[in-house]
Amino acid sequence: MRPIRLPEPPSGSAGMPEIFEGGVNVVRRAVVIGNGFAGAENQCFGLVRALGLSDRQTIYRVIRPSGGINEWLHWLPLYLHKIVDHILRQLLGGSRVGLVLRGKRVVPSTFHTSGSIGLSSILEADPRKIATLARETFDKEGPTLVVACGRDTVTISSSIRRLAPDNVFVIQIQHPRIQLNRFDLVVTPRHDYYALTASGQKEIPRYLKRWVTPQEPPGRNVVLTVGALHQADPVALRVAASAWHDELDPLPKPLLVVNIGGPTRNCKYGTDLAKQLVASLHNVIKTCGSVRISFSRRTPRKVSDVIIKELGTHPKVYIWDGQDPNPHMGHLAWGDAFVITADSISMLSEACSTGKPVYVIGTEHCKWKFTDFHKNLREKGVVRTFTGLEDISNSWSYPPLNDAAEVALRVREFLAERGWSIGR
C-alpha cells in the first residue's frame, strides 16, 4: 500500500511541567528517513503522527542507484552499492549509462534512481547535512526527532546521531542488526527476537548461529511491539468513516473485507492459497451482506486472476481495481470483519487496531519469525484462523492493538530523561 497522509490526532502533551513548555527543551519537529517502501515509511509516519508532529515533519529518502545492473546489486550495503555504481559510470564514460545482463550478452541501459518514486519534493538523505541543520538551528528550533525504518536507513540515522548527539533524538524502527547503542531508541516487533527463543534456536543450523542476529536480549533502549506501527488510529478511522460514508454505509451488512498480500521469503504460496481462499469465501458468503476484496502491489497476477475469475461476477462481491482513491482506510472503518493473508504484518497490524474480528489465512505457509508473530496474535485473542466454517454475522471483539500510541508514550518518557518534551 502506498503511504496515506492522515489528519493529526491530539498531541497529548497537556499536563507536562512548565519547565518543558518552551526553549531548547521542546521537540517541535521531526525528520523521517525513508527507504522508498511504503511498509517501512508508514511505520515512521505512524509514530510521528502518534507524537503529534505530522504537520512539522521533513521527509528524506535513502536513494539507491537503480536500473540496469543495479537491480542485481541491492544485496550490497548502501555505501558499497554507491561506490560500485560510481566506478561503473566512470568506466563507461557517462553518468547515465549502465549495464544490463541479458543471457551472455552485455548491452547498454539507461540509469535512473528511485528518487523518482513518490513525492518529487522528497530530498535525498545526507547525514552530514541533516546533522549540521540540527546543530545550527538547535538554539532557535530546539531538538530534532529523527525517525528511520528499513535496512538502508540504518547507516544514515546512526551517522546523524554520531554527528549531532546533543541535538537529536534518533529512533530506529525494526532491528538494525548492528550495535543498538548507536541509536537513542530502537522500536522493533517482538518476533524480531525469535532467534533467541528455544524454537528459534532449533531452526538455526549450528554453523550459522554466530551470524544470525540479534545475538543478545533487548536492552533498555529497545521498545518491543506486537506488530508494525501504522497511521490507522481512532481519529483517522473516524475521518475515514466520514469520507467513505456515502459509498460504504449503504452496503448490506455484515461487510467482510478481504486483503490479499503476496508471497515473501518466509511466507511462500501461489495459486494454491488463492483457491483455498475462494473455496472458504464461497462457504461463508451466505452469512455476509457484502464482500470487498483488495490486492496489494505484491499480489502476483496468477493469484489475483484466480480470485477475479471465481468471485468477480458474484453479486455480493466487489473487487477494487487498484485505481485511486484507495479504499483501504474506508474498509478499516466500515468493515465488520476482516480476512487477511498471513504474509502481511502491516495489514494484520492495522486490522487488529479496530477491535473487530480478524481472520488469517495461509499461516501454514509461513516460517521463522512470521510463525512467532501469528502465535503472539492468537495468544492475545486478536486473530483466528480462517477455515471457511465461520458465520460472519457472529461478531467478537478484543482490546484493539495500539502499538504506535504505546511507543509514543515510551518516547516521551525517554525524552523526559534528557529534560526534553514533545511540543504542542
Side-chain angles (χ1 to χ4, degrees), residues 63-231:
I63 299 177
R64 274 187 179 269
S66 62
I69 199 173
N70 282 299
E71 302 304 326
W72 298 68
L73 301 177
H74 281 195
W75 57 273
L76 290 173
L78 179 63
Y79 77 93
L80 187 56
H81 188 176
K82 288 189 173 184
I83 291 174
V84 173
D85 173 61
H86 177 73
I87 292 173
L88 286 174
R89 292 171 185 263
Q90 295 299 315
L91 289 175
L92 294 166
S95 61
R96 304 295 293 177
V97 179
L99 299 175
V100 174
L101 299 177
R102 295 181 181 173
K104 295 183 179 180
R105 290 199 309 128
V106 180
V107 297
S109 173
T110 301
F111 271 102
H112 63 279
T113 70
S114 60
S116 61
I117 301 174
L119 301 175
S120 60
S121 59
I122 295 179
L123 302 174
E124 181 170 7
D126 184 322
R128 293 189 179 276
K129 291 181 179 179
I130 296 171
T132 299
L133 182 64
R135 288 195 306 267
E136 292 180 348
T137 59
F138 180 79
D139 289 340
K140 181 179 180 181
E141 301 291 339
T144 300
L145 185 77
V146 178
V147 184
C149 182
R151 177 172 66 99
D152 284 348
T153 70
V154 169
T155 56
I156 303 295
S157 60
S158 60
S159 295
I160 293 171
R161 183 175 184 268
R162 176 176 55 82
L163 294 168
D166 299 326
N167 312 107
V168 299
F169 188 88
V170 175
I171 302 172
Q172 186 69 36
I173 300 175
Q174 296 181 345
H175 199 288
R177 313 299 176 188
I178 63 172
Q179 292 180 340
L180 302 187
N181 60 8
R182 297 185 184 182
F183 312 91
D184 293 295
L185 198 65
V186 173
V187 178
T188 191
R190 192 176 303 277
H191 57 259
D192 266 1
Y193 281 88
Y194 178 66
L196 298 182
T197 66
S199 298
Q201 286 291 300
K202 291 179 181 179
E203 293 186 42
I204 305 173
R206 182 175 300 177
Y207 64 89
L208 289 178
K209 285 189 176 183
R210 63 176 297 184
W211 304 106
V212 176
T213 56
Q215 294 283 336
E216 299 177 351
R220 185 180 179 279
N221 70 326
V222 176
V223 176
L224 297 179
T225 64
V226 177
L229 306 185
H230 54 80
Q231 302 182 76

Side-chain angles (χ1 to χ4, degrees), residues 19-29 134-135 137-144 166-168 418-421:
I19 189 174
F20 295 137
E21 289 297 311
V24 295
N25 296 318
V26 179
V27 178
R28 301 186 183 89
R29 54 187 175 164
R135 288 195 306 267
T137 59
F138 180 79
D139 289 340
K140 181 179 180 181
E141 301 291 339
T144 300
D166 299 326
N167 312 107
V168 299
R418 293 181 63 168
W420 293 356
S421 69

